[in-house]
Amino acid sequence: MNSREEKLKAFDRLLTIMDELREQCPWDRKQTMESLRHLTIEETYELGDAILDGDMDEIRKELGDVLLHLVFYSKIGSETNDFDIADVANGICDKLIDRHPHIYGDVEVQNEEDVKRNWENLKLKEGKKSVLEGVPRSLPALVKANRIQDKVAGVGFDWEEPQQVFEKLKEELEELQHEVSADNKDAMESEFGDVLFSMINYARFLKINPENALERTNKKFIKRFQYLERKASENGTSLKDMSLAEMDVYWNEAKKL
């Protein structure tokens, strides 16, 4: 691993390259925070994919892409005299020190839950009117639900044990089934949302990240389905011409891979 001096030298190199690109490259010079936004989101998802794949080399590359964006935004901020990379770095340093009084102060904590609770309480003392202010509006719904539940749990609004959450989930499933039987589309959608919210909450109690769990299932399904497609092609047929029983043979083969 690199020394601290080498790490600082590498970061300085990146800052220098960013300065040069912003001055000399037509594409880089044209970019704004707004034009970079969707690219940053894309890079973040690519990093997430690499993490789920456990591909350390790809994680390193994607982290570099994300780091470039952070430096890019800071460079643009410096051009308008609003902030630069030092302001960004010092800002997060100050926040971390303030939010960790059990490390940099005299507050005592017993466990991770105490740390999370202190974190949310400190944010309220900083002037936030709601613990939910820190949940981005544009988050995907599943991720947003998980963050909402984390936030409110941080101030004590939570169940006491997993079994209570599971009972709530069963209750929500019964309510959904009732609306399905009544064929009430609006109520079905509402109750389905409640079921998903309860499932996400249950995952939190089981210490499972629901986004990661669902994405792993997506990847598993894609792998198995593409195996099925490949086998059908090898046999000179198409899926639409196969029976479900025939598909199941290949599906079960794929499950063993």
Side-chain angles (χ1 to χ4, degrees):
M1 291 291 99
N2 294 295
S3 66
R4 175 60 66 91
E5 181 181 359
E6 290 169 327
K7 293 173 185 177
L8 293 173
K9 183 179 179 180
F11 193 68
D12 181 66
R13 181 187 179 203
L14 177 58
L15 293 178
T16 299
I17 291 173
M18 185 73 258
D19 289 344
E20 293 170 346
L21 293 178
R22 189 65 174 169
E23 180 180 344
Q24 302 174 34
C25 175
W27 186 89
D28 289 282
R29 191 166 56 239
K30 184 179 179 181
Q31 299 313 304
T32 65
M33 291 191 182
E34 290 75 16
S35 70
L36 289 172
R37 178 181 177 275
H38 76 282
L39 297 175
T40 306
I41 294 171
E42 182 180 323
E43 295 294 355
T44 304
Y45 276 110
E46 290 178 359
L47 172 60
D49 284 344
I51 291 172
L52 285 180
D53 291 340
D55 188 335
M56 297 305 291
D57 190 53
E58 198 63 25
I59 291 172
R60 175 185 59 78
K61 294 176 182 176
E62 297 301 340
L63 282 171
D65 290 340
V66 172
L67 179 58
L68 169 62
H69 280 241
L70 300 181
V71 170
F72 211 146
Y73 288 119
S74 299
K75 175 61 178 176
I76 295 172
S78 71
E79 293 168 353
T80 56
N81 292 318
D82 288 304
F83 60 86
D84 62 19
I85 193 66
D87 297 318
V88 173
N90 284 323
I92 189 60
C93 287
D94 291 341
K95 179 190 289 187
L96 288 172
I97 291 171
D98 290 341
R99 298 275 179 88
H100 289 79
H102 55 289
I103 302 296
Y104 301 103
D106 55 6
V107 173
E108 294 185 5
V109 296
Q110 300 299 320
N111 50 44
E112 174 192 357
E113 294 306 315
D114 285 350
V115 174
K116 291 170 65 176
R117 193 173 298 110
N118 284 343
W119 183 281
E120 297 302 338
N121 288 331
L122 283 166
K123 285 199 288 187
L124 289 177
K125 290 180 180 179
E126 291 169 2
K128 293 187 181 294
K129 296 180 180 179
S130 170
V131 296
L132 298 179
E133 284 184 21
V135 180
R137 296 188 302 275
S138 58
L139 276 180
L142 190 151
V143 180
K144 184 186 291 186
N146 195 36
R147 293 298 294 136
I148 288 171
Q149 293 167 6
D150 265 342
K151 293 285 187 182
V152 299
V155 292
F157 188 79
D158 205 2
W159 301 93
E160 293 179 348
E161 55 187 49
Q163 186 59 33
Q164 294 173 310
V165 188
F166 187 67
E167 293 301 323
K168 179 63 176 176
L169 173 58
K170 292 195 292 185
E171 177 187 319
E172 296 294 355
L173 282 167
E174 290 174 1
E175 292 177 4
L176 171 61
Q177 190 56 49
H178 174 77
E179 298 303 340
V180 170
S181 299
D183 197 28
N184 185 334
K185 295 296 183 182
D186 287 340
M188 283 166 56
E189 181 177 290
S190 176
E191 294 300 338
F192 191 81
D194 290 346
V195 169
L196 287 177
F197 196 82
S198 295
M199 279 292 297
I200 292 166
N201 209 12
Y202 190 45
R204 184 173 59 85
F205 267 81
L206 298 179
K207 300 192 182 306
I208 294 171
N209 183 295
E211 172 71 15
N212 290 351
L214 182 57
E215 183 57 17
R216 288 182 186 278
T217 295
N218 288 340
K219 288 178 176 291
K220 180 170 60 179
F221 184 91
I222 290 170
K223 180 180 179 181
R224 291 175 180 176
F225 190 80
Q226 288 178 338
Y227 176 87
L228 196 160
E229 289 179 314
R230 189 165 60 253
K231 284 298 183 179
S233 177
E234 290 173 0
N235 290 331
T237 187
S238 64
L239 294 182
K240 67 178 186 297
D241 296 325
M242 295 173 64
S243 68
L244 283 176
E246 291 173 323
M247 291 185 191
D248 277 343
V249 172
Y250 295 129
W251 187 263
N252 288 327
E253 287 180 8
K255 289 168 66 174
K256 297 176 182 178
L257 296 177

